[in-house]
Amino acid sequence: MHAESRVSYYLGEACSRLTAVAGVDDEILDYGSVRFSVVGDGVTLARSDVLTGVSDPMPLDVDVSGVSYLDLVVDGAGDGVSGDHADWASARLAWSP
């Protein structure tokens, strides 16, 4: 994804967890800066610090129980969007039993 962006999913309260590894794409060496947010039904459930091309990826494990609409959001961290290539690697949703 390129900042500024948002991907929305309808979960219908059927999922319990979102797991992923968030980071700036490897193609972006020492530039680019993004911030990742997980938003459920309009409420921010998780938000990363600003990550850059030299930052370690950030593992995410977010409780999404009871969430109907889930948004994965990437913003440009307030300094423009040049080189802001963000990855939600290995993103998985766990279904509620």
Side-chain angles (χ1 to χ4, degrees):
M1 302 173 75
H2 196 289
E4 310 277 330
S5 61
R6 172 183 305 261
V7 175
S8 301
Y9 297 95
Y10 176 69
L11 304 183
E13 300 181 8
C15 295
S16 58
R17 300 209 77 71
L18 166 73
T19 58
V21 178
V24 176
D25 196 286
D26 287 345
E27 72 182 2
I28 304 302
L29 303 175
D30 61 350
Y31 61 99
S33 57
V34 299
R35 191 172 20 234
F36 294 83
S37 298
V38 178
V39 179
D41 295 329
V43 175
T44 300
L45 304 175
R47 187 173 189 197
S48 75
D49 292 333
V50 174
L51 301 178
T52 69
V54 297
S55 299
D56 288 331
M58 178 183 161
L60 293 168
D61 185 356
V62 182
D63 183 353
V64 295
S65 300
V67 170
S68 291
Y69 294 93
L70 182 71
D71 296 310
L72 303 181
V73 181
V74 176
D75 72 62
D79 61 354
V81 296
S82 180
D84 290 355
H85 300 182
D87 293 334
W88 295 87
S90 302
R92 302 280 188 267
L93 286 165
W95 299 103
S96 297

